[in-house]
Amino acid sequence: MKELIFIPLAGIGHLVSAIEFAKQILNRDEKNLSISVLIMKLPLDFGVQNFIQSLTSQPRLKFIDISLDEQTSSRFLNNHETFLYDFIDGHKSYVREYVQNISKTSSCSAFILDMFCTSMIDIANEFNVPSYIYFASNAAFLGLCLHFETLRNEQNLDTSKYLNSNEALSIPTFKNLCPANVVPEHLLDSRLASTLFFDGIRRFKDTKGIIINTFFELESFSLQALSDSKMVPKIYPVGPVVSFEKSGHCRNNSTETESIIKWLDEQQDSSVVFLCFGSMGSFEAEQIREIATALEHCGHRFLWSLRRSPPKGKTDIPSSYNNYEEVLPQGFLERTKEIGKIIGWAPQVAILSHPSIGGFVSHCGWNSILESVHFGVPIATWPLYAEQQMNAFLMVKELGLAEEIKMDYVADFEGKNNQVDVVSAEEIEGCLLRLVVKSEENEVRKKVKEMKEKSRVAIEECGSSYNSIGLLIKDVITNI
Ligand code: UDP
């Protein structure tokens, strides 16, 4: 038996996707391969612990906890800038030990690494084993990272000149010029965290290939640009890798999920707008009131995942409200009780796959985008953090698969700005009215329906992503 070592980052968007992909590999290869997923628990929960606890090893798929003790891993938090990289490096000896142990009974064939875990290539090299990256975002963003790595490290360009600028940039994985204000800040600034990020990106070239959670029909332009580049190792578009776990990654109990689905069952097809802003998304009271006003005015049915922001300056996941009335306009719940439902953590896949959902106001996390495309639900973009502004640009301008509420909105997680932009009720309402129109004339809706079919075909037998996974398995086995 040949063993693949998966080293994902334990954030929900990265971990769930990597594990789902591991399962897909095993479904495709019935005899040659087994997989060990090495889990490095982050010192902050980020709502992932329940999910990790629910993981049970099964034949050929093992979950191995290599977490550091709490004290050691919390110590890394003292240095905010280097935290992630110190934390990952802190696990190297455990990875080495694990590979040494399994080498007694099986042979390690490849490391499949999260994009942030490239320092583990050193360990793979010690065992003379090839490494691959599992890139949980899209091909356009991969191109953006590689492009900026070249600008910074090879052309010595000071990219911080693009911070807070509207300059239009030419990037090989984009058809259109890309405004600098949708490029994540950490790709542009010159802080230590950015330098470490690009040191990691530079090491992509030391791998045998990059596995991307996208599919050819969705991102043909960007994928072609990557394939054409001599700088990029072989790429494998294998998406959409979506977890069809109906319970929202174990955070919703079955009663909650049932009550939500029962409510959706009572609504007409394509009539409900779903609002959900990812694992970290939340808003302050003023913004919540604008959203509420927009929902009430536009009159669409709605299902809104509304969660409380952590205290200013504290890095944590949003929590549940005990009483929604404390943040909503007076009387809102009573006035909208026939058309709307407010929930905490959402069983998102179960919701997006329900026929009553007609539109999705999303923070544009890549998993959410793939889920929405896979179920044919048009998105209204409202990015908050990470590469989501760029994802919104990709969806609205490059692919024509989403309506824009905002593309350059940035959430103020670190509490740096006293004056956070507030998106007005009028802006939100205008977009909601465009989003949930039944008319076949609606170009975005039409395109999303077409992409839904392509998304299904891509993962079916002989589809583009299906073939790409087959090729990867063949390459991994041949590389041994
Ligand atoms: N998710 C969910 N319920 C929620 C919020 C998020 O089930 O209330 C899931 C969502 O379906 C997706 C993942 O969590 O699979 C979020 O990943 P994404 O890349 O969209 O955003 P992130 O949370 O990483 O920013």
Side-chain angles (χ1 to χ4, degrees):
M1 188 68 82
K2 315 287 178 198
E3 183 110 0
L4 303 185
I5 307 287
F6 271 59
I7 311 185
L9 193 71
I12 200 79
H14 291 237
L15 185 62
V16 173
S17 176
I19 292 176
E20 206 48 44
F21 180 59
K23 289 181 184 164
Q24 289 194 10
I25 290 199
L26 294 180
N27 285 342
R28 290 290 298 283
D29 175 272
E30 282 167 15
K31 50 185 191 314
N32 289 311
L33 298 171
S34 64
I35 293 179
S36 292
V37 182
L38 308 190
I39 307 281
M40 307 180 284
K41 273 188 221 140
L42 289 159
L44 295 166
D45 177 2
F46 290 120
V48 187
Q49 302 306 346
N50 280 352
F51 176 72
I52 291 178
Q53 271 154 23
S54 75
L55 297 171
T56 41
S57 294
Q58 43 190 272
R60 299 196 297 135
L61 178 60
K62 278 181 286 186
F63 296 102
I64 310 293
D65 188 352
I66 58 160
S67 304
L68 305 171
D69 64 79
E70 227 165 276
Q71 217 182 353
T72 313
S73 88
S74 300
R75 227 182 31 233
F76 292 125
L77 281 172
N78 293 341
N79 194 340
H80 195 68
E81 288 264 312
T82 60
F83 158 69
L84 192 57
Y85 304 94
D86 293 343
F87 169 80
I88 292 166
D89 282 358
H91 293 76
K92 276 178 153 178
S93 59
Y94 296 94
V95 175
R96 183 181 296 115
E97 203 180 309
Y98 183 73
V99 179
Q100 259 156 5
N101 277 340
I102 60 159
S103 302
K104 292 174 194 153
T105 50
S106 61
S107 83
C108 174
S109 307
F111 276 31
I112 314 280
L113 304 171
D114 186 273
M115 64 178 287
F116 289 104
C117 297
T118 47
S119 64
M120 294 295 177
I121 295 173
D122 300 338
I123 310 293
N125 289 346
E126 286 174 24
F127 291 92
N128 210 7
V129 163
S131 298
Y132 294 80
I133 302 293
Y134 180 72
F135 195 79
S137 188
N138 51 71
F141 181 56
L142 172 61
L144 190 74
C145 295
L146 294 166
H147 179 68
F148 274 94
E149 193 279 317
T150 310
L151 292 184
R152 289 169 67 120
N153 291 338
E154 280 169 32
Q155 298 176 21
N156 282 325
L157 189 84
D158 179 7
T159 53
S160 62
K161 67 177 181 178
Y162 298 129
L163 283 169
N164 305 318
S165 111
N166 271 333
E167 197 162 328
L169 309 173
S170 166
I171 294 156
T173 45
F174 288 80
K175 277 185 258 185
N176 299 287
L177 293 175
C178 183
N181 64 1
V182 302
V183 176
E185 198 178 296
H186 72 275
L187 265 65
L188 300 177
D189 67 35
S190 46
R191 289 185 307 175
L192 179 58
S194 310
T195 307
L196 293 171
F197 174 79
F198 282 108
D199 287 348
I201 296 293
R202 196 172 176 76
R203 297 212 65 188
F204 282 17
K205 292 164 198 155
D206 301 338
T207 66
K208 277 268 183 261
I210 308 176
I211 304 155
I212 315 177
N213 189 7
T214 189
F215 55 104
F216 184 76
E217 294 74 6
L218 180 65
E219 285 199 272
S220 49
F221 182 88
S222 304
L223 286 165
Q224 192 57 54
L226 289 172
S227 298
D228 291 346
S229 162
K230 289 186 183 59
M231 315 285 284
V232 184
K234 195 160 178 176
I235 51 166
Y236 302 88
V238 297
V241 178
V242 170
S243 164
F244 293 99
E245 171 66 68
K246 293 269 178 189
S247 59
H249 311 316
C250 300
R251 280 199 228 176
N252 292 101
N253 61 41
S254 54
T255 324
E256 280 167 343
T257 304
E258 273 160 30
S259 116
I260 293 166
I261 300 301
K262 182 169 171 291
W263 186 81
L264 291 174
D265 285 344
E266 289 158 8
Q267 315 305 323
Q268 283 181 1
D269 281 3
S270 304
S271 67
V272 179
V273 182
F274 171 49
L275 299 91
C276 186
F277 299 90
S279 52
M280 304 290 287
S282 60
F283 295 105
E284 296 301 322
E286 191 182 352
Q287 184 63 77
I288 292 173
R289 284 194 294 275
E290 294 298 312
I291 299 175
T293 307
L295 288 170
E296 202 173 344
H297 278 178
C298 92
H300 287 324
R301 281 160 197 273
F302 65 86
L303 177 64
W304 182 5
S305 166
L306 175 59
R307 289 149 70 222
R308 184 198 290 276
S309 300
K312 265 229 170 303
K314 187 168 184 273
T315 313
D316 206 347
I317 52 166
S319 55
S320 303
Y321 281 104
N322 292 328
N323 178 6
Y324 295 117
E325 272 170 1
E326 56 183 281
V327 278
L328 291 167
Q330 213 181 8
F332 174 84
L333 288 176
E334 179 59 26
R335 291 193 300 276
T336 58
K337 66 175 188 238
E338 300 297 329
I339 61 163
K341 186 171 174 66
I342 300 192
I343 57 174
W345 180 263
Q348 184 166 296
V349 168
I351 292 168
L352 287 172
S353 61
H354 196 282
S356 65
I357 298 297
F360 178 22
V361 180
S362 170
H363 75 311
C364 299
W366 188 239
N367 292 294
S368 295
I369 288 177
L370 287 177
E371 288 160 9
S372 204
V373 166
H374 194 69
F375 295 112
V377 179
I379 284 179
T381 59
W382 191 331
L384 301 177
Y385 50 91
E387 88 292 16
Q388 293 155 14
Q389 291 74 20
M390 195 230 76
N391 292 348
F393 178 77
L394 176 69
M395 289 297 281
V396 175
K397 298 287 185 204
E398 294 278 299
L399 306 177
L401 290 171
E403 299 280 357
E404 173 186 357
I405 292 180
K406 280 282 165 196
M407 283 196 298
D408 57 357
Y409 184 95
V410 180
D412 182 28
F413 279 131
E414 293 170 21
K416 282 192 295 201
N417 307 325
N418 293 325
Q419 203 61 47
V420 186
D421 284 349
V422 174
V423 185
S424 71
E426 290 74 30
E427 281 176 273
I428 303 166
E429 185 188 345
C431 185
L432 292 183
L433 291 172
R434 289 196 304 281
L435 186 70
V436 188
V437 273
K438 297 248 173 61
S439 148
E440 286 308 310
E441 304 284 286
N442 183 307
E443 224 11 72
V444 167
R445 181 166 292 274
K446 217 165 78 193
K447 276 188 151 178
V448 172
K449 292 278 170 247
E450 284 164 14
M451 200 48 81
K452 168 186 171 175
E453 294 315 314
K454 290 179 180 166
S455 169
R456 275 143 212 269
V457 172
I459 52 178
E460 277 169 10
E461 197 167 342
C462 294
S464 58
S465 292
Y466 181 95
N467 287 342
S468 201
I469 296 179
L471 194 64
L472 173 72
I473 294 173
K474 198 165 140 242
D475 288 352
V476 166
I477 292 172
T478 324
N479 274 332
I480 295 168

